Amino acid sequence: MPRTALRICPLCEATCGLTLTIEGTTVTGARGDREDVFSRGFICPKGAAFGGLDADPDRLRTPLVRRDGRLREATWDEAYEAVAAAIPALVRECGPQSVGVVLGNPNVHTMAGNLYPPLLLKALGTRNFFTASTLDQMPKHVSSGLLFGDPFAIAVPDLDRTDFLLLLGANPVESNGSLCTAPDFPGRLKALRARGGTLVVVDPRRTRTAKLADLHLAPRPGSDALLLAALAHTLLAERLAAPGALAERTEGLGELAEALARFTPEAVAPACDLTAAEIRDLARALAAAPTAAVYGRIGSCTVEYGTLASWLIDVLNILTGNLDRPGGALFPLPAAGPRPRPAGPGKGFALGRWLSRVSGHPEAKSELPIAALAEEIETPGEGRIRALVAIAANPVLSAPDGRRLDAALAGLDFMVSIDPYLNETSRHAHVVLPPPPPSQSAHHDFAFNGFAIRNQVRYSRPAVPLEADRLDECEIHARLVLAVSGRYGSAAPSAVDEMVIHGVLAKETADPRSPLHGQDPQRLAGLLTGDDGPERRLDLMLRLGPYGDRFGLGGAPGAGPGAAEDAPASGAAAEGLSLDRLLAHPHGIDLGPLRPRLPEVLRTRSGRIELLPDPITAELPRLRAALADRPATLVLVGRRHLRSNNSWLHNVPALTGGSNRCTLQVHPEDAGRLGLTEGGMARITADGGSLEVPVEVTDTVRTGVVSLPHGWGHDRDGARLSVASAAPGVNVNQLLDGSLLDPLSGTAVLNGFPVELTPLP
Ligand SMILES: Nc1nc2c(c(=O)[nH]1)N[C@H]1C(S)=C(S)[C@@H](COP(=O)(O)OP(=O)(O)OC[C@H]3O[C@@H](n4cnc5c(=O)[nH]c(N)nc54)[C@H](O)[C@@H]3O)O[C@H]1N2
Ligand SMILES: Nc1nc2c(c(=O)[nH]1)N[C@H]1C(S)=C(S)[C@@H](COP(=O)(O)OP(=O)(O)OC[C@H]3O[C@@H](n4cnc5c(=O)[nH]c(N)nc54)[C@H](O)[C@@H]3O)O[C@H]1N2
Ligand code: SF4
Ligand SMILES: [Mo]
């Protein structure tokens, strides 16, 4: 008899609740969980393909260890002993910088990837730390850090209540949204329009999202910062700015007009390839809307002025009074996150506290640009990376110049990957540690609840019991922490979790402002429920979080300092959250719509919004200079497809084929000019190299712009991707040499770089 089990989908940021059908230990079907408090039954083709992905025969079942140059199946102990033999000795001999750490995107989609990497980094003590953020949202972290003092203080558009959404460089109808967790994003956009609201999409491609819009502007890629500056300029020049109560909380408002003086609509129009009237009209419409939110993603981040564009998005939300108000852009309050702290001055956000060794790139949020990883491995000298820990990361395809990185990885003394696949990157590892398929893992969205458009909390236990000889991914991580710190075999993996729990409880019980002050930490640890370390840690985080039961010690939940506004919505949550309470609500607990909470969010040194921080002021001359740039004739942008996901979903037959192909989209006029034909081949060349690609002629890209998706190029030897390698596509990032970065955030410029095209016979 088939049974069903609930599982939160880990395949994109929408975090839909799925109902899995299970026969034996095999997932044979997946549909949307209609009772899920957040996703209400929504599902997309990726979620529906959960079973195929889960059972992919190419998934690794056992660890692999390199012997005599070849990766061979090994036991877990053999694998960890190989790590324990290599890394601690290297750290002793060459210092902590000799070990690099790379974290890829799926870490934000697993409990393990949220709970253990901070411990791994601490154990290693390395500053050679790289993540997918510098291919993605680091500009937003930096602008939020500078504006609000906290790089995680990212306001999300209040999709369900806003009257006006200005969406730049995002295509949520394909991506299902990012830094804005909202199951059924497309449905929510349609609902916005149905209730009389306005959707404006700014994208050089006429995307499926743009097709839903009242207005679609298709500017030249890379020009968002100019456009946004001109919108802000117009609000100020036409006295349309109305920050309201935000004015008292904001420093630098008075100086903004001067800083943006050059960015008139007329001045930016040629660079954006829009008319001044279009820009002015948009500014006026934004100002006139009762509530509005400006939101930007990949197309406004992974560009030359990514941090400035991210900053300007919040400048507009502030100038229009929409930051931190319902219908505008609000700060979520996740259940497993920290309790709100009292309002007041904080430590602030510092950039560039150290520099990368070879090119001197400033750190951002303790990270170095992943585009600089190869040079840090190749370049001799003290502090060279000799060993690498790669967790859920495929930078050979995801980051610039994969060929160079390929060669660099091949030259490492030692590499360990936690990855379910032997792919373009993990094939270089000396040890591969494969996590179980998602049906066998528990799930809670530590990361995405912090960006969700509604406060809610959900947890799913493994839908299928862990197979024999498998390790849970949390245990894989915990053992790795022990192995790199020379404690493998002498401490149990659960000791890693208990250490965290005791650390947190020791701090809380010593803190006079904590409801746990003066309590016995041992006793409190004994009260935690949960079947294993990660569950006990989740219980602790929930109980101490903004809606937590505080072990019954803190009075009403949410009654922590400065938290009066954040009492949970109703029902189960009002009784105080804990893991037990959450387990009693398998479809999740709704904690209500987002609420204004700005004062407690601010962690700047001034305790106010710092609208014109020095690093931004220092960047503005570069943007001014861009006004005079002669734009390239042809630039490239990426695109996402609903049935794809970055570099690792091309191995599931149900998700491949059809329109999900690695083609170069070219506008008919450009195709005609260049002699390219539909279905023909072209050579595309840029600073980092050249590729041969099939051409798709379509007017969904604007003139002067071509589009090639990322995550393809599955044709390397030594990978085990039988489906993906049959239709490998090409790696767009081979066109990049890694030198083009948004300087403040170290984020690679992946969109809007110049290319040349020639037809091939
Ligand atoms: N040109 C261009 N390049 C881009 C982008 C772009 O728009 N254009 N987008 C960028 C963005 S936004 C991102 S986030 C990056 C993503 O790039 P990466 O960070 O490399 O992430 P993925 O390609 O999603 O997957 C990385 C690895 O995670 C493994 N994996 C999958 N599930 C699990 C799991 O449960 N556990 C573990 N341990 N591993 C797992 C996969 O097998 C794969 O090897 O790509 C970036 N690269
Ligand atoms: N199906 C699917 N879903 C995904 C992913 C996936 O690979 N596939 N990846 C996940 C990840 S890791 C992320 S980060 C999110 C990303 O989520 P989104 O940001 O919504 O994803 P994209 O589809 O890359 O949208 C970026 C858009 O920016 C446009 N663009 C390019 N350059 C510019 C520019 O200079 N200005 C403007 N205004 N627009 C520009 C592109 O044409 C594209 O339509 O999606 C997540 N969800
Ligand atoms: S929208 Fe995202 S979370 Fe929802 S089913 Fe699809 S892939 Fe999964
Ligand atoms: Mo991403």
Side-chain angles (χ1 to χ4, degrees):
M1 260 298 279
R3 63 182 178 93
T4 62
L6 301 175
R7 185 15 161 132
I8 301 161
C9 180
L11 300 178
C12 87
E13 300 184 30
T15 71
C16 301
L18 304 181
T19 305
L20 305 179
T21 310
I22 296 161
E23 294 181 40
T25 55
T26 308
V27 177
T28 54
R31 57 192 154 82
D33 171 16
R34 269 190 229 102
E35 290 170 72
D36 184 282
V37 294
F38 196 24
S39 64
R40 305 269 174 215
F42 182 78
I43 189 170
C44 86
K46 282 199 299 254
F50 186 102
L53 171 78
D54 204 62
D56 184 346
D58 281 339
R59 270 178 189 273
L60 300 173
R61 303 185 62 87
T62 69
L64 303 176
V65 175
R66 190 173 298 275
R67 290 205 185 90
D68 310 322
R70 277 195 51 210
L71 280 170
R72 296 165 203 271
E73 295 194 351
T75 66
W76 289 101
D77 275 338
E78 286 166 343
Y80 283 105
E81 276 152 17
V83 177
I87 290 193
L90 185 65
V91 173
R92 270 197 306 277
E93 201 183 311
C94 303
Q97 310 313 330
S98 62
V99 184
V101 174
V102 183
L103 302 180
N105 171 277
N107 283 299
V108 279
H109 296 275
T110 65
M111 288 182 68
N114 283 281
L115 291 174
Y116 299 89
L119 309 174
L120 178 78
L121 286 164
K122 206 167 154 205
L124 287 168
T126 182
R127 285 179 169 176
N128 277 318
F129 175 42
F130 310 83
T131 83
S133 296
T134 51
L135 303 167
D136 189 347
Q137 82 290 0
M138 189 60 93
K140 193 74 206 173
H141 287 305
V142 169
S143 70
S144 282
L146 295 170
L147 280 164
F148 310 124
D150 175 357
F152 287 98
I154 294 177
V156 303
D158 194 2
L159 280 190
D160 292 345
R161 293 183 289 184
T162 194
D163 297 294
F164 190 108
L165 181 64
L166 170 55
L167 192 150
L168 302 107
N171 185 12
V173 173
E174 305 276 359
S175 71
N176 286 304
S178 179
L179 295 186
C180 178
T181 282
D184 195 13
F185 208 126
R188 293 176 204 262
L189 293 180
K190 288 177 196 151
L192 158 70
R193 294 209 52 207
R195 66 175 178 266
T198 304
L199 173 65
V200 179
V201 172
V202 178
D203 196 308
R205 299 185 307 120
R206 195 171 69 253
T207 60
R208 288 173 64 204
T209 307
K211 287 177 189 160
L212 292 180
D214 296 87
L215 173 67
H216 170 213
L217 297 177
R220 195 170 273 133
S223 67
D224 292 47
L226 291 171
L227 167 63
L228 291 159
L231 293 174
H233 181 281
T234 307
L235 294 180
L236 293 165
E238 300 192 0
R239 307 204 173 281
L240 297 172
L246 291 168
E248 288 151 42
R249 300 202 182 277
T250 306
E251 292 200 337
L253 257 177
E255 291 82 61
L256 189 66
E258 165 86 45
L260 299 179
R262 288 278 303 282
F263 303 103
T264 61
E266 283 72 17
V268 308
C272 299
D273 200 15
L274 298 171
T275 66
E278 282 174 312
I279 298 171
R280 218 167 247 123
D281 288 348
L282 179 55
R284 291 171 186 161
L286 180 67
T291 63
V294 186
Y295 161 79
R297 269 313 273 126
I298 286 296
S300 66
C301 278
T302 56
V303 287
E304 226 178 316
Y305 306 98
T307 300
L308 286 181
S310 299
W311 166 72
L312 283 160
I313 284 170
D314 279 329
V315 166
L316 287 173
N317 283 328
I318 293 164
L319 289 181
T320 53
N322 280 303
L323 185 79
D324 197 43
R325 85 166 172 204
L330 292 146
F331 299 97
L333 186 63
R339 284 194 302 286
R341 290 168 290 191
K347 286 203 199 111
F349 174 75
L351 267 176
R353 293 163 298 168
W354 54 85
L355 305 177
S356 72
R357 179 180 64 105
V358 179
S359 291
H361 296 297
E363 63 77 36
K365 213 168 126 290
S366 303
E367 295 184 26
L368 297 172
I370 198 165
L373 174 60
E375 67 181 24
E376 293 295 334
I377 299 174
E378 291 163 352
T379 313
E382 204 181 312
R384 177 171 84 83
I385 297 177
R386 291 158 187 271
L388 196 68
V389 181
I391 306 180
N394 193 5
V396 169
L397 293 190
S398 310
D401 200 350
R403 259 180 238 140
R404 179 175 175 190
L405 193 55
D406 237 343
L409 296 179
L412 284 166
D413 295 0
F414 187 78
M415 173 171 164
V416 49
S417 278
I418 303 183
D419 206 288
Y421 287 105
L422 195 57
N423 64 13
E424 297 76 15
T425 297
S426 62
R427 74 197 177 106
H428 291 293
H430 297 77
V431 172
V432 184
L433 305 168
S439 65
Q440 296 175 32
S441 309
H443 195 73
H444 171 76
D445 282 296
F446 289 106
F448 298 121
N449 287 347
F451 306 118
I453 60 152
R454 228 184 136 82
N455 292 317
Q456 39 69 43
V457 56
R458 295 166 297 155
Y459 175 61
S460 30
R461 279 189 159 159
V464 171
L466 199 62
E467 276 169 294
D469 301 330
R470 287 273 193 193
L471 288 188
D472 181 71
E473 186 160 2
C474 287
E475 186 171 341
I476 292 175
H477 280 239
R479 288 191 189 209
L480 184 63
V481 172
L482 294 175
V484 303
S485 43
R487 290 188 293 150
Y488 190 75
S490 63
S494 60
V496 174
D497 299 305
E498 294 310 315
M499 191 191 68
V500 175
I501 289 169
H502 284 279
V504 171
L505 287 173
K507 223 168 138 192
E508 288 275 347
T509 51
D511 178 357
R513 288 168 311 173
S514 167
L516 309 192
H517 183 235
Q519 296 290 318
D520 172 15
Q522 295 289 349
R523 186 185 75 87
L524 296 176
L527 295 176
L528 293 174
T529 64
D531 287 350
D532 52 22
E535 280 201 347
R536 284 165 55 75
R537 287 174 67 186
L538 175 60
D539 190 32
L540 182 67
M541 291 161 88
L542 292 172
R543 295 174 88 160
L544 294 184
Y547 315 88
D549 75 355
R550 319 274 159 88
F551 295 89
L553 295 165
E565 298 251 312
D566 300 293
S570 63
E575 296 166 47
L577 262 183
S578 64
L579 178 65
D580 271 349
R581 192 161 304 286
L582 188 51
L583 286 169
H585 294 82
H587 307 282
I589 297 174
D590 181 38
L591 300 164
L594 304 188
R595 296 182 182 81
R597 53 180 297 252
L598 185 61
E600 72 196 20
V601 169
L602 296 175
R603 292 287 114 192
T604 49
R605 285 175 184 270
S606 61
R608 289 147 60 87
I609 298 174
E610 295 181 0
L611 199 61
L612 255 183
D614 292 342
I616 294 286
T617 312
E619 258 285 86
L620 283 171
R622 210 170 63 92
L623 189 64
R624 279 184 211 114
L627 288 170
D629 281 355
R630 260 201 44 224
T633 340
L634 205 57
V635 298
L636 185 139
V637 300
R639 67 176 187 270
R640 281 173 160 78
H641 190 284
L642 184 56
R643 283 183 293 115
S644 199
N645 191 27
N646 296 330
S647 77
W648 71 281
L649 235 52
H650 298 136
N651 208 52
V652 181
L655 296 175
T656 51
S659 56
N660 186 10
R661 289 187 309 136
C662 184
T663 57
L664 184 77
Q665 295 183 334
V666 186
H667 188 274
E669 274 178 32
D670 290 322
R673 180 172 57 87
L674 295 161
L676 301 170
T677 48
E678 170 73 27
M681 295 295 288
R683 176 177 301 284
I684 180 166
T685 308
D687 289 349
S690 83
L691 301 167
E692 294 182 9
V693 281
V695 171
E696 179 185 345
V697 178
T698 165
D699 68 357
T700 58
V701 285
R702 53 158 284 162
T703 53
V705 177
V706 293
S707 170
L708 191 63
H710 73 284
W712 296 85
H714 307 289
D715 52 2
R716 286 170 161 83
D717 292 336
R720 196 182 300 167
L721 298 164
S722 45
V723 178
S725 61
V730 296
N731 176 10
V732 64
N733 288 324
Q734 200 52 56
L735 296 171
L736 294 162
D737 63 11
S739 62
L740 210 55
L741 304 180
D742 167 49
L744 283 183
S745 69
T747 303
V749 175
L750 304 171
N751 279 290
F753 59 89
V755 293
E756 280 170 19
L757 281 184
T758 46
L760 288 172

